[in-house]
Amino acid sequence: MAFGWIDEQAALRRRAGLVRALRPRPAESPLLDLASNDYLGLARHPEVTDGAARAARTWGGGATGSRLVTGTTELHTELERELAAFCGTEAALVLSSGYAANLAAVTALAPHGSLVVSDAGNHASLIDGCRLARGATQVVAHADPEAVGKALATHDGPAVAVSDSVFSVDGDAARWPRWRRCAASTGRAGRRRRPRARRARRRGRGAPTRPGWRARTTSSSRSRCRSRSAARAGPCSDPPG
């Protein structure tokens, strides 16, 4: 059989306990959902559902095309202006999901000849972004800014460090100020993923907006924002306060 290997791989996954099944949920349920991405319970908020209905009646049920062709509406640009103002950045770009945002950001920042330094605990979207990027990827130990600095120092060309802000599996926060200072000491950039941190910290602007955390970075949730500031302390040191 030409595709017999598929059945063999499926059997291996079953024996390893790796097979997962879809579990459709009803429109209404008495259960408390602790497994979704609807962290703030806004999916059914009346203002959200009413706004979605009004948008569908005004703009239709789909984008009608890619962003570069006919898919960018005035509503998109209005949202991006508001997001940029809210995040305190010069611009914002809305994508269809956080996964798409991470693939777009990492592949754009890692051309051929570059190095991507990736935390071992990073989300699958960042890992896939590293795989699709044309640059080489070096994975470093989880939450180890010094390892990031050492990896960046070994590469002469363009380099970027990528990390979750709040890691989705363990729930720990990245030591981002030290990451940033290690990257800055080698003249490199950092890239952080922060959908959970954006919702949970600093009134929705994300954990990296804490004092001392602002850096030359890119970040994304459903938007990607860029922020800049000068380093205030030495390489790999913790910020004041």
Side-chain angles (χ1 to χ4, degrees), residues 17-182:
L18 298 177
V19 175
R20 301 173 66 182
L22 298 178
R23 291 177 292 179
R25 61 176 176 82
E28 301 288 344
S29 174
L31 301 177
L32 179 63
D33 185 2
L34 299 177
S36 76
N37 293 334
D38 186 23
Y39 304 104
L40 301 181
L42 296 177
R44 289 186 172 276
H45 191 285
E47 290 187 26
V48 174
T49 54
D50 289 347
R54 289 196 306 271
R57 286 192 293 268
T58 302
W59 298 97
T64 75
S66 69
R67 288 291 304 267
L68 289 175
V69 185
T70 62
T72 296
T73 66
E74 293 175 357
L75 196 61
H76 284 90
T77 56
E78 179 183 353
L79 173 60
E80 288 168 346
R81 284 195 299 268
E82 292 184 3
L83 283 171
F86 181 74
C87 295
T89 62
E90 63 191 60
L93 179 64
V94 175
L95 292 99
S96 59
S97 68
Y99 186 94
N102 280 323
L103 259 63
V106 177
T107 53
L109 293 170
H112 180 74
S114 65
L115 173 68
V116 183
V117 179
S118 177
D119 188 287
N122 276 345
H123 188 268
S125 57
L126 286 177
I127 294 172
D128 285 352
C130 292
R131 289 170 174 165
L132 290 173
R134 295 185 178 183
T137 298
Q138 182 172 342
V139 179
V140 296
H142 176 53
D144 189 344
E146 285 71 23
V148 174
K150 290 178 182 178
L152 292 172
T154 63
H155 188 71
D156 293 331
V160 61
V162 298
S163 173
D164 274 35
S165 178
V166 176
F167 290 90
S168 56
V169 175
D170 296 328
D172 59 323
R175 300 163 70 184
W176 185 253
R178 295 185 66 184
W179 264 68
R180 194 266 294 181
R181 301 198 196 290
C182 287

Side-chain angles (χ1 to χ4, degrees), residues 10-20:
L12 289 174
R13 289 181 62 83
R14 282 194 298 272
R15 287 196 292 269
L18 298 177
V19 175
R20 301 173 66 182

